[in-house]
Amino acid sequence: MLDKILQYKNLILAVAAALLLVGFSGYLVADRKSEPVYLSKIDRLMFDKENQSPKFVITLPDKKKAAPQPIDILPAIPESSANELPHAADRDLTVEEILSQVPSVLTLPPKEATQKLRYITIEDSLTESKDSLLLPTISKNGAKPWIEYGKQVEVLPTFKKVAVVIKGSGFDPMALDKISQAFDSEISMSFSPYAAEVGTRILTARQNGHETYMDLLLSSKDFLKSDSGPLSMSLTISDAESIKRLEKTLSPGAPIGGVVINDGIADESNRYTLTQILAAINRRGLLVIDATHGNGIEQITIKGLPRRKADIVIEDLLDRNLIREEIKKAENIALSRGQVLLVVEPKPVILKEIYDWIKTFSPQIAYEESKNQVIEKPLALVPVSNLVVE
C-alpha cells in the first residue's frame, strides 16, 4: 500500500499545485473585476492601491475662458509726483539730497527784521534787584514790563490777527539764530529756564524784533515717574519755595514780558499755590499765556491779570499732515473770531509748516484798495501781547 502511495506521490503533488494555481488565478480575476475602469494613467494616479477616494485633484484650464489679467499691486503714480521722485534705481542719492528731505530750520533764509522793539536790554525803571536776582517790576509811574517790552502793531480792519509763540526756546543757539532771523519779528518766543545762558539767547531774539517770555513749568502729571525739574511748581514744596522758583524763572538777566504756562497739574491739589503764583506775576506787571490743555488755570481769577488762553497748542506732533490739520483749525478760528493764538514747540517739522503757512498770508492793503480785489487769506501776524487784555 505504501508502495502505491509513493508511486502516485508525484501525481498528487502535481494535482495539488494545479489546484493552487487555479485558485490564485480565480482570485486575481475577481480582484480585477472589482477595480474601476480607468480612462487614462492620470485616472489611475488619482486612486491609491486600496481603491480609496482620490488623493489628488487636478483642474485643467478651460480653453473657452479668457486668461486672467495681471493684477497691479502698486497704485499708479501721477506724472507730477513721479517726476519729483528721485531715480533711486538709476543712482544712489547723495547726502545733500537726503538731507534736503529732512525738515531743518538751518535751511531757512534770513530776512530783515519786520519790527523793532523799544528795549533790547533791561530797563532800570522796570527792574527790581532782590537776592542777587534782577526781576521785572512795575515802574514808579505805573509802566508795566509786558507793555513796555512788547510792541503794538497796526492791523487793517479787513485782516484777522494771528499770534504765534515758540515755546521751549534757547537750547540750541545755532537753531535759535536761524529762527530769529528767518521768522517775522512778530513771532514771539518763550524760553526754557533750563537753557544755558538764557539771557544771552533772549537778547539775540530781541535784536531781531521778537517779543520774549519765559516758560513756567507746572508739576508733571506723571510726577511719580518723571520730574519737570528744580524750577517747576512741584506739589511737594512749600508756597514760599514755589515763589522762589518763580522768581528765579523770571530773572534771566534780559527783558521778558511774562510767562507761558506749560501743561501740568493745575487742579484742586495745588489751586492755592497757583493762585499765589499768578498773583505774584500780576504784581510784577507781567502777562500770562495759558498753553495748558485743561482749564485749571482759567478757573483761577486774578483781578487785573493780563492773560490769554492759547487756541491751538502744537507740541508732540511729528506727522506733517497732523500738523497741517492743527494749522488749518487755527486759520478757521482766526477767520471766524478775528484772531487766534498758537503756541508751538521748536521742532523743525512744526516750525517748517508754520513758516510755510505764514508765507501764504495775503499782504495787507487798505480798505479802499481791497474793494476791487479778492483777498485770499486776510491774515496778519501780530506779537502775542497784541491779543492780551487785562
Side-chain angles (χ1 to χ4, degrees), residues 3-20:
D3 294 336
K4 290 183 177 181
I5 293 175
L6 292 174
Q7 291 177 359
Y8 292 106
K9 179 180 71 171
N10 293 336
L11 179 61
I12 293 171
L13 291 174
V15 171
L19 292 174
L20 287 173

Short mmCIF file of all heavy atoms in Angstrom, two decimals, residues 3-20:
data_model
loop_
_atom_site.label_atom_id
_atom_site.label_comp_id
_atom_site.label_asym_id
_atom_site.label_seq_id
_atom_site.Cartn_x
_atom_site.Cartn_y
_atom_site.Cartn_z
N ASP A 3 3.79 1.35 -1.03
CA ASP A 3 4.50 1.46 -2.31
C ASP A 3 3.65 2.17 -3.36
O ASP A 3 4.14 2.96 -4.17
CB ASP A 3 4.89 0.05 -2.80
CG ASP A 3 5.92 -0.63 -1.89
OD1 ASP A 3 6.63 0.15 -1.18
OD2 ASP A 3 6.03 -1.85 -1.88
N LYS A 4 2.34 1.89 -3.32
CA LYS A 4 1.44 2.52 -4.29
C LYS A 4 1.36 4.05 -4.06
O LYS A 4 1.29 4.85 -4.99
CB LYS A 4 0.06 1.91 -4.20
CG LYS A 4 0.01 0.49 -4.74
CD LYS A 4 -1.42 -0.07 -4.70
CE LYS A 4 -1.46 -1.49 -5.31
NZ LYS A 4 -2.83 -2.05 -5.31
N ILE A 5 1.33 4.39 -2.75
CA ILE A 5 1.24 5.84 -2.43
C ILE A 5 2.48 6.56 -2.94
O ILE A 5 2.41 7.67 -3.49
CB ILE A 5 1.07 6.04 -0.91
CG1 ILE A 5 -0.29 5.50 -0.47
CG2 ILE A 5 1.23 7.52 -0.54
CD1 ILE A 5 -0.52 5.53 1.03
N LEU A 6 3.62 5.93 -2.74
CA LEU A 6 4.86 6.55 -3.19
C LEU A 6 4.89 6.67 -4.70
O LEU A 6 5.45 7.62 -5.25
CB LEU A 6 6.08 5.73 -2.70
CG LEU A 6 6.32 5.74 -1.18
CD1 LEU A 6 7.46 4.77 -0.83
CD2 LEU A 6 6.65 7.14 -0.72
N GLN A 7 4.27 5.67 -5.40
CA GLN A 7 4.23 5.72 -6.86
C GLN A 7 3.42 6.91 -7.35
O GLN A 7 3.69 7.50 -8.40
CB GLN A 7 3.66 4.39 -7.43
CG GLN A 7 4.58 3.20 -7.23
CD GLN A 7 3.95 1.88 -7.74
OE1 GLN A 7 2.80 1.86 -8.23
NE2 GLN A 7 4.71 0.77 -7.64
N TYR A 8 2.33 7.23 -6.59
CA TYR A 8 1.44 8.33 -7.02
C TYR A 8 1.79 9.70 -6.36
O TYR A 8 1.05 10.66 -6.47
CB TYR A 8 -0.03 8.00 -6.69
CG TYR A 8 -0.56 6.87 -7.52
CD1 TYR A 8 -0.75 5.59 -6.95
CD2 TYR A 8 -0.86 7.04 -8.88
CE1 TYR A 8 -1.24 4.54 -7.71
CE2 TYR A 8 -1.35 5.97 -9.64
CZ TYR A 8 -1.54 4.74 -9.07
OH TYR A 8 -2.01 3.69 -9.80
N LYS A 9 2.92 9.72 -5.63
CA LYS A 9 3.29 10.97 -4.92
C LYS A 9 3.45 12.13 -5.89
O LYS A 9 2.93 13.23 -5.67
CB LYS A 9 4.59 10.75 -4.14
CG LYS A 9 5.06 12.00 -3.40
CD LYS A 9 6.34 11.72 -2.65
CE LYS A 9 7.48 11.57 -3.67
NZ LYS A 9 8.80 11.52 -2.99
N ASN A 10 4.12 11.86 -6.91
CA ASN A 10 4.37 12.94 -7.88
C ASN A 10 3.07 13.42 -8.51
O ASN A 10 2.86 14.61 -8.76
CB ASN A 10 5.34 12.45 -8.96
CG ASN A 10 6.72 12.20 -8.39
OD1 ASN A 10 7.10 12.77 -7.37
ND2 ASN A 10 7.50 11.31 -9.05
N LEU A 11 2.17 12.43 -8.76
CA LEU A 11 0.89 12.82 -9.34
C LEU A 11 0.07 13.67 -8.38
O LEU A 11 -0.56 14.66 -8.77
CB LEU A 11 0.12 11.56 -9.73
CG LEU A 11 -1.27 11.77 -10.35
CD1 LEU A 11 -1.13 12.58 -11.65
CD2 LEU A 11 -1.96 10.42 -10.62
N ILE A 12 0.12 13.27 -7.08
CA ILE A 12 -0.64 14.04 -6.05
C ILE A 12 -0.10 15.45 -5.95
O ILE A 12 -0.85 16.44 -5.87
CB ILE A 12 -0.56 13.32 -4.69
CG1 ILE A 12 -1.31 11.99 -4.76
CG2 ILE A 12 -1.14 14.19 -3.59
CD1 ILE A 12 -1.12 11.08 -3.53
N LEU A 13 1.20 15.61 -5.96
CA LEU A 13 1.80 16.94 -5.86
C LEU A 13 1.45 17.79 -7.08
O LEU A 13 1.20 19.00 -6.98
CB LEU A 13 3.33 16.83 -5.73
CG LEU A 13 3.85 16.23 -4.41
CD1 LEU A 13 5.37 16.05 -4.47
CD2 LEU A 13 3.46 17.12 -3.25
N ALA A 14 1.41 17.18 -8.22
CA ALA A 14 1.07 17.93 -9.44
C ALA A 14 -0.37 18.42 -9.39
O ALA A 14 -0.70 19.55 -9.77
CB ALA A 14 1.30 17.03 -10.66
N VAL A 15 -1.27 17.51 -8.87
CA VAL A 15 -2.69 17.92 -8.77
C VAL A 15 -2.86 19.06 -7.78
O VAL A 15 -3.59 20.02 -8.00
CB VAL A 15 -3.55 16.70 -8.37
CG1 VAL A 15 -4.98 17.15 -8.06
CG2 VAL A 15 -3.55 15.65 -9.47
N ALA A 16 -2.16 18.92 -6.63
CA ALA A 16 -2.26 19.98 -5.60
C ALA A 16 -1.75 21.31 -6.13
O ALA A 16 -2.34 22.38 -5.91
CB ALA A 16 -1.46 19.56 -4.36
N ALA A 17 -0.65 21.29 -6.89
CA ALA A 17 -0.11 22.53 -7.46
C ALA A 17 -1.07 23.13 -8.46
O ALA A 17 -1.28 24.36 -8.53
CB ALA A 17 1.23 22.24 -8.12
N ALA A 18 -1.73 22.22 -9.22
CA ALA A 18 -2.70 22.71 -10.22
C ALA A 18 -3.88 23.38 -9.54
O ALA A 18 -4.39 24.44 -9.99
CB ALA A 18 -3.16 21.54 -11.09
N LEU A 19 -4.36 22.77 -8.43
CA LEU A 19 -5.48 23.40 -7.69
C LEU A 19 -5.10 24.77 -7.14
O LEU A 19 -5.90 25.71 -7.15
CB LEU A 19 -5.91 22.44 -6.58
CG LEU A 19 -6.60 21.11 -7.03
CD1 LEU A 19 -6.84 20.19 -5.83
CD2 LEU A 19 -7.92 21.41 -7.75
N LEU A 20 -3.88 24.85 -6.60
CA LEU A 20 -3.43 26.15 -6.06
C LEU A 20 -3.36 27.20 -7.15
O LEU A 20 -3.73 28.38 -6.97
CB LEU A 20 -2.06 26.00 -5.39
CG LEU A 20 -2.03 25.26 -4.05
CD1 LEU A 20 -0.59 25.04 -3.59
CD2 LEU A 20 -2.81 26.06 -3.00
#
